[in-house]
Amino acid sequence: MASHSPASTAARPAPQSDIPTYEAIVVGGGISGMYLTYRLRELGVNFHVFEAGSDVGGTWYWCRYPGARFDSESWTYGYFFDEELLQEWEWKEHFSPQPDTLEYLNHVADKYDFRRDMTFNAKVVAAEFDDAANQWTVTFEDGGQARATLLITGLGVLSAPTLPNIPGLEDFQGQSFHTARWPHEPVSFEGKRVGIIGTGATAIQAIPEIAKTAGHLSVFQRHPNWSAPLHNAKITPEEQKDIKARYKEIYARCWETVACFIHHPDPRSALEVTPEEREAFWEKLYSEPGFGIWLGNFRDVLTDERANALMTEFAARKIRERVDDPVVAEKLIPKNHGFGLRRLPLESGYFEAYNRPNVRLVDLNEAPIERITAKGVKTTAEEHELDILIYATGFDGVTGPYDRIDIRGPGGRSLKEEWKELPTTLYGVINDGFPNLLMVLGPHTARGNIPRNIEMLVDFNIGLIRHMRENGYTRIEPRPEAAAEWLAQVKEVDALLLSSKIPSWQTGVNQNVPGRQTPRVLGYNGGAVRYRKTIEKVAAGGYKEFKFG
Ligand SMILES: Cc1cc2nc3c(=O)[nH]c(=O)nc-3n(C[C@H](O)[C@H](O)[C@H](O)COP(=O)(O)OP(=O)(O)OC[C@H]3O[C@@H](n4cnc5c(N)ncnc54)[C@H](O)[C@@H]3O)c2cc1C
């Protein structure tokens, strides 16, 4: 852990022991941790942020693989808390690539001098609650410790990368990288034999980029994923001007839609319109930028099996049109879930990459991987010799980053054990039985265009902390009956979506993580607007659903 002296944080009370002690500890220096820094400072809280990486940025610090970018419109993704920041920052592309997003987050950290309240290279491995003192003690990887009344997690939902469960990972003699632990120095694929395991969201972005320079690229696929064109473009000076003039309107639009993007479902049913109208609408959506095809589709595409089957047929036809080899095209069409029932990755030339002579799709259903060898990947059919091997094998979603910290509540109660089946949270911000542990983006919160949700959740948590400070409380926990009621609501809305039955990171399924084979309810699927109304009502009512002491 980088050395951190509490004296370096100006005007902070002196620690009571040699263990630095704060009112609040924040874990994570991504978009959540940075916004928490802004708001906690504003409230005058004595706090400190600890981050495992060597700088700010979270997802955009770690995921530096070729082609990495977000699918949110850039001008809906940034922070909205300061008009000056909105006006001075110029997004270069409508869907910002990772280097630009990281540059943006560095700009924000510099502008508000966030790093003064942060320690990097500080990975939290354990957190234990002292019931008598109402205090958390966190332990870092290097054995160092820090204490605080409140522990606030900004761990993100996609920050615990997973490697495939295949023997021989250590044997490979070439270069190997996980997409979410990509080196900070450029990686050259020029003329190299490259292999990539996985065809999820990160692979869908990386494959077309790597294919451009690799000597040969072997794509090892277990299950294909649905994907649709991103249609990214540079932002012209006229568009820049227009965006800056419309930030109020853009922000308001995010809060009118189902998932805080600019896209909102069409009120029509896919089953009510004529086949010609349906086709024309889908062609239009397929040719437009962003998530319209997913979130601006007919209202029943993600809720009605018949509507979803029609859309699935359309998307499959598109793949057949774009991929030259019909056998390869068939292999790229998912058969185990309908269109949009997993978080839809958007692509730029993904399907056309398979038309290149230097790209080969290796179907692991025909010949599964036996092991990684010194030379490459050995399937039951052959050994693929490689210079570079990329693990695009994703994340242990939502609960994974929490499972990697040994979190112990009163009486040694383990959060990981509690969450084996299902978390029992109150609005996803605190779990029953774990006092003073406040979460941003915890399970059972609304997601979507995530920074908007982060803002809402941080603001709610700040409201709770303000309430505690104003009333002299040092302890907060959910009323068990309120947490049970929230879980019931979460389950009720979850059942409405076809995606709730589909294994994916959003339902906490990861074939490479023991015990994570069955879908769990891990998000709030009632929409961001409804979620926001709920927590605003709770705040206005004086937080009666919480117990304070
Ligand atoms: C490839 C990719 C594409 C994405 N695209 C989009 C998109 O289009 N739109 C969208 O809204 N969202 C997208 N996301 C989700 C993205 O994670 C969020 O938008 C956002 O960055 C979350 O911010 P955060 O600060 O909550 O979490 P993160 O950015 O994940 O940051 C969490 C931080 O916590 C740190 N941390 C975790 N555990 C510990 C520990 N034990 N000790 C110390 N530090 C720890 C991590 O190192 C990390 O820096 C994407 C994610 C990925 C991976």
Side-chain angles (χ1 to χ4, degrees):
M1 192 179 104
S3 71
H4 164 65
S5 149
S8 69
T9 55
R12 307 274 180 249
Q16 285 157 17
S17 71
D18 55 348
I19 296 178
T21 303
Y22 308 93
E23 201 176 335
I25 283 176
V26 172
V27 189
I31 291 180
S32 295
M34 289 169 65
Y35 187 50
L36 276 162
T37 302
Y38 185 81
R39 288 285 180 231
L40 286 167
R41 236 188 230 173
E42 197 178 52
L43 197 60
V45 173
N46 167 23
F47 74 100
H48 200 78
V49 178
F50 294 96
E51 161 59 50
S54 66
D55 206 344
V56 295
T59 290
W60 310 108
Y61 165 90
W62 293 108
C63 299
R64 297 168 188 240
Y65 60 87
R69 68 174 70 244
F70 50 62
D71 300 327
S72 300
E73 282 75 8
S74 308
W75 26 274
T76 68
Y77 189 89
Y79 292 111
F80 274 78
F81 62 78
D82 184 353
E83 183 61 26
E84 188 180 287
L85 174 62
L86 284 167
Q87 292 304 324
E88 76 192 12
W89 183 256
E90 307 222 317
W91 293 103
K92 297 187 193 87
E93 300 181 32
H94 284 281
F95 301 90
S96 178
Q98 173 273 333
D100 292 1
T101 307
L102 187 57
E103 193 186 327
Y104 167 73
L105 293 171
N106 275 302
H107 170 75
V108 177
D110 291 343
K111 182 176 170 73
Y112 303 98
D113 193 14
F114 283 157
R115 292 185 188 87
R116 147 163 81 89
D117 288 317
M118 297 181 161
T119 296
F120 299 103
N121 304 308
K123 185 173 179 184
V124 175
V125 292
E128 193 176 358
F129 189 67
D130 179 337
D131 206 20
N134 283 333
Q135 196 175 50
W136 284 95
T137 300
V138 302
T139 304
F140 303 98
E141 202 170 30
D142 68 357
Q145 291 188 314
R147 290 199 178 117
T149 307
L150 295 170
L151 178 59
I152 313 175
T153 52
L155 304 180
V157 285
L158 294 171
S159 66
T162 52
L163 285 165
N165 201 1
I166 307 171
L169 296 192
E170 302 304 322
D171 297 347
F172 184 59
Q173 296 295 305
Q175 290 179 290
S176 63
F177 315 107
H178 191 288
T179 43
R181 288 292 178 270
W182 200 262
H184 292 200
E185 307 73 43
V187 176
S188 168
F189 302 103
E190 203 71 47
K192 301 264 174 65
R193 297 165 303 173
V194 184
I196 183 162
I197 298 182
T199 47
T202 54
I204 283 172
Q205 290 183 331
I207 285 165
E209 284 305 311
I210 297 170
K212 284 179 192 165
T213 56
H216 188 268
L217 175 62
S218 304
V219 180
F220 297 94
Q221 174 181 273
R222 194 165 49 182
H223 299 298
N225 269 287
W226 293 107
S227 185
L230 174 66
H231 296 301
N232 182 36
K234 296 251 190 280
I235 295 177
T236 64
E238 296 72 46
E239 285 171 334
Q240 193 74 258
K241 227 168 122 193
D242 176 61
I243 289 164
K244 286 189 183 177
R246 289 194 306 109
Y247 266 128
K248 266 204 178 88
E249 190 190 311
I250 291 166
Y251 186 74
R253 173 65 184 162
C254 289
W255 282 108
E256 278 165 16
T257 65
V258 65
C260 297
F261 292 93
I262 55 166
H263 312 279
H264 194 63
D266 189 286
R268 295 170 297 168
S269 157
L271 305 169
E272 282 164 11
V273 298
T274 65
E276 293 74 26
E277 280 172 316
R278 203 161 49 216
E279 184 73 12
F281 185 51
W282 283 339
E283 282 292 350
K284 176 178 170 294
L285 292 177
Y286 202 80
S287 70
E288 288 176 347
F291 271 146
I293 190 96
W294 189 37
L295 301 172
N297 213 314
F298 292 113
R299 66 171 151 79
D300 48 1
V301 157
L302 303 179
T303 55
D304 182 296
E305 276 176 11
R306 289 164 309 156
N308 185 260
L310 290 170
M311 179 62 217
T312 298
E313 223 175 275
F314 174 88
R317 180 149 42 85
K318 285 291 172 196
I319 297 174
R320 290 187 189 109
E321 281 169 17
R322 291 174 59 186
V323 178
D324 295 344
D325 182 337
V327 177
V328 174
E330 258 353 272
K331 287 180 178 173
L332 290 168
I333 297 173
K335 308 290 186 314
N336 62 354
H337 67 288
F339 180 85
L341 302 189
R342 286 183 176 162
R343 198 281 197 188
L344 187 78
L346 297 179
E347 45 82 25
S348 305
Y350 175 65
F351 295 108
E352 287 74 15
Y354 293 95
N355 298 336
R356 300 177 68 108
N358 64 334
V359 177
R360 175 178 168 198
L361 182 66
V362 181
D363 185 349
L364 299 178
N365 291 307
E366 287 171 0
I369 296 178
E370 263 181 11
R371 62 177 301 114
I372 307 297
T373 64
K375 289 184 185 161
V377 173
K378 188 171 184 313
T379 68
T380 51
E382 63 187 299
E383 184 167 10
H384 301 257
E385 293 193 8
L386 304 168
D387 303 306
I388 302 179
L389 177 54
I390 298 165
Y391 298 107
T393 40
F395 303 88
D396 186 4
V398 190
T399 51
Y402 289 86
D403 285 354
R404 292 183 184 187
I405 305 174
D406 185 11
I407 299 175
R408 303 272 166 180
R413 202 168 160 176
S414 152
L415 190 72
K416 186 175 175 180
E417 286 300 314
E418 296 280 319
W419 283 8
K420 245 188 182 153
E421 296 302 321
L422 211 53
T424 312
T425 75
L426 183 55
Y427 316 125
V429 299
I430 191 164
N431 199 79
D432 188 25
F434 291 81
N436 295 14
L437 171 56
L438 296 174
M439 302 180 283
V440 178
L441 286 184
H444 301 164
T445 47
R447 291 192 288 266
N449 187 20
I450 286 186
R452 300 287 68 76
N453 296 275
I454 288 174
E455 268 175 5
M456 161 173 71
L457 290 159
V458 167
D459 289 348
F460 182 68
N461 276 316
I462 291 291
L464 286 168
I465 298 168
R466 186 183 295 112
H467 183 77
M468 289 178 76
R469 287 162 66 93
E470 282 171 1
N471 292 282
Y473 298 134
T474 55
R475 188 175 173 110
I476 175 172
E477 51 197 315
R479 293 193 182 281
E481 63 281 11
E485 161 62 21
W486 178 243
L487 184 59
Q489 279 191 51
V490 166
K491 284 183 179 169
E492 192 186 317
V493 289
D494 190 65
L496 303 175
L497 287 185
L498 296 172
S499 58
S500 62
K501 301 172 201 100
I502 305 296
S504 79
W505 70 259
Q506 294 192 295
T507 49
V509 174
N510 187 315
Q511 298 305 331
N512 297 313
V513 181
R516 289 285 175 253
Q517 273 65 47
T518 335
R520 289 172 296 156
V521 190
L522 290 185
Y524 174 72
N525 286 332
V529 172
R530 201 156 138 192
Y531 178 89
R532 188 185 184 186
K533 276 192 188 143
T534 306
I535 57 170
E536 280 179 353
K537 200 167 149 207
V538 170
Y543 307 105
K544 290 193 206 65
E545 295 74 5
F546 294 81
K547 259 193 312 192
F548 296 95

